[in-house]
């Protein structure tokens, strides 16, 4: 059996994997990525957050991404019945990038993959990791390509960026039930109908409250397509008659705002569904491996934070791998796991507040002080590690307090 040696083996070429690879190459390490599918490949998660932009620039991806002319995302729009609130990233409380993109992920991930290959990280497409011996000082990973050829790759360090594949979590029994209840999603894409030249009139990302515990995303792309998904209570999403397409169209017809935004457009991707997308994890690293992006923990897409966490974790992990492979002390517990869990905890507070209504009441309340709005915007832009923001360092307390004040204005 063929055997290859490399400094770092990365499983999966999504944004977590390519971010890690770019930074490791910059540090002079040898890297190989194995990727199960062939790119460009479809994956969900098209609305990015500004917090990722600095990492994308530092890793050397920016010129190639700018050339793709993606739809610029300057904020996020939330709607419920007649209420609407736009959170404008240019009014961020935190210093940093104030815009990002809405991207078809097949294209975005493909750009990152092409760029890391040019930088010197080969990607073996159509190749799956099927086993791993992590007990060795230098782990051996078994991979199989589509022809059935088996190969072993020995690495000093392994990065699991396999997303929903959850390779090491499955092989090392690291999965844990998620703290979030089981939710489901039903999603598709639309394009302008024949004869109509542009897509949705409004090119902003919009989140609509559809039912008490179901919401809809609309993410317009620069080519006129719009990604649309219903998310939430699985009982509701299974309650209409028929297959995924029939149910999707039923819910769409019930949603006056979504129907209006898609007026003149036609389905261009068959509706798909996923049930139980939230994942928990027991630990984020071991002595010779780390889990990044969705291969670790994923809660909920309502605030579009998945790619942000994937990129942040990839960048952080790369820095610590470089330290460790240079023979220095890498504090994975503090500088990786605690850091990632801190950001995830802030997002979790927001997500829970969204579903239980506290955050929605705040979003749609009139006369929010500008400072509070800019602090909320900062979290929505992905700045979940800015300890000077009360919505970060005391997120639960701040949310409860403001929600109380909103319910009992005489307390103010
Ligand atoms: C309904 C829904 C909507 C979402 N919307 C958003 C959004 O708007 N914005 C956002 O930021 N995030 C969103 N997300 C989250 C987003 O999808 C993920 O967080 C993001 O794709 C994670 O990136 P990643 O690099 O960790 O993994 P991925 O992008 O999933 O990449 C992992 C790669 O690993 C490969 N792989 C898997 N198994 C193996 C194996 N055995 N061997 C080799 N390769 C393997 C896969 O083929 C894949 O290419 C959403 C998620 C859901 C469920």
């Amino acid at each position: 059996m063929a055997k290859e040696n490399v400094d770092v083996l990365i499983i999966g070429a999504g944004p977590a994997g390519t971010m890690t690879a770019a930074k490791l190459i910059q540090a002079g390490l040898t890297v190989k990525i194995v990727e199960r599918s062939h790119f460009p490949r479809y994956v969900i998660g098209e609305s990015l957050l500004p917090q990722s932009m600095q990492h994308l620039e530092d890793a050397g991806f920016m010129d190639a991404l700018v050339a793709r002319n993606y739809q610029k995302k300057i904020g996020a729009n939330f709607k419920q019945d007649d209420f609407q609130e736009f959170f404008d990233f240019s009014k961020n409380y935190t210093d940093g990038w104030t815009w990002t993109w809405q991207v078809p992920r097949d294209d975005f991930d493909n750009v990152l993959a092409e760029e890391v290959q040019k930088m010197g990280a080969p990607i073996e497409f159509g190749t799956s990791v099927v086993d791993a011996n992590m007990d060795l000082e230098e782990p051996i990973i078994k991979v199989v390509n589509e022809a059935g050829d088996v190969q072993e790759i020995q690495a000093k360090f392994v990065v699991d960026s396999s997303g929903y594949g959850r390779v090491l979590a499955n092989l090392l029994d690291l999965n844990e039930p998620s703290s979030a209840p089981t939710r489901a999603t039903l999603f598709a894409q639309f394009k302008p109908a024949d004869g109509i030249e542009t897509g949705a009139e409004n090119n902003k990302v919009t989140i609509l409250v559809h039912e008490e515990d179901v919401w809809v995303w609309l993410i317009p792309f620069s080519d006129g397509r719009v990604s649309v998904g219903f998310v939430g209570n699985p009982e509701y999403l299974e309650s209409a008659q028929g297959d995924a397409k029939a149910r999707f169209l039923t819910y769409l017809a019930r949603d006056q705002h979504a129907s209006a935004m898609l007026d003149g457009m036609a389905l261009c991707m068959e509706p798909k569904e996923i049930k139980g997308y939230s994942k928990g994890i027991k630990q984020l690293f071991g002595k010779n491996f780390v889990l990044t992006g969705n291969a670790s923990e994923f809660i909920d897409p309502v605030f579009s934070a998945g790619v942000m966490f994937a990129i942040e974790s990839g960048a952080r992990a790369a820095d610590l791998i470089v330290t460790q492979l240079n023979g220095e002390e890498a504090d994975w517990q503090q500088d990786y796991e605690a850091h990632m869990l801190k950001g995830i905890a802030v997002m979790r507070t927001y997500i829970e507040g969204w579903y239980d209504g506290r955050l929605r009441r705040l979003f749609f309340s009139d006369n929010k002080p500008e400072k509070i709005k800019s602090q909320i915007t900062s979290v929505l832009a992905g700045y979940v590690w800015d300890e000077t923001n009360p919505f970060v360092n005391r997120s639960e307390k701040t949310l409860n307090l403001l929600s109380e004040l909103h319910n009992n204005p005489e307390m103010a």
Side-chain angles (χ1 to χ4, degrees), residues 11-17 34-37 39 41 43-49 105 109 127-130 161-167 185 187 215 217 219 231 274 277 292-295 298 300-301 303-308 310:
I11 311 170
V34 283
E35 166 54 54
R36 182 171 62 186
S37 60
F39 279 25
R41 58 91 178 87
V43 70
I44 193 81
E46 297 131 334
S47 168
L48 307 184
L49 298 187
R105 284 284 303 282
D109 289 15
T127 303
S128 298
V129 171
V130 291
S161 308
S162 62
Y164 305 104
R166 301 185 72 73
V167 171
T185 175
F187 52 97
W215 55 275
W217 81 69
I219 305 174
V231 188
I274 306 175
Y277 49 70
T292 61
N294 263 51
F298 179 71
D300 196 88
F303 299 121
S304 306
V307 173
M308 182 277 284

Side-chain angles (χ1 to χ4, degrees), residues 153-170:
I153 305 171
Q154 186 154 33
K156 295 180 180 135
F157 203 94
V158 177
V159 180
D160 184 1
S161 308
S162 62
Y164 305 104
R166 301 185 72 73
V167 171
L168 288 188
N170 291 338

Side-chain angles (χ1 to χ4, degrees), residues 74-128:
I74 56 163
N77 211 12
F78 290 82
K79 265 190 190 178
Q80 175 166 19
D81 304 323
D82 294 333
F83 300 98
Q84 170 160 330
E85 188 62 278
F86 179 65
F87 292 92
D88 179 345
F89 293 148
S90 72
K91 308 222 164 96
N92 262 341
Y93 168 82
T94 308
D95 284 343
W97 285 74
T98 54
W99 62 273
T100 182
W101 289 296
Q102 295 149 209
V103 297
R105 284 284 303 282
D106 50 355
D107 195 85
F108 178 79
D109 289 15
N110 195 41
V111 170
L112 301 187
E114 281 178 350
E115 290 305 301
V116 285
Q117 289 178 96
K118 284 184 212 156
M119 292 173 195
I123 305 181
E124 213 164 294
F125 290 101
T127 303
S128 298

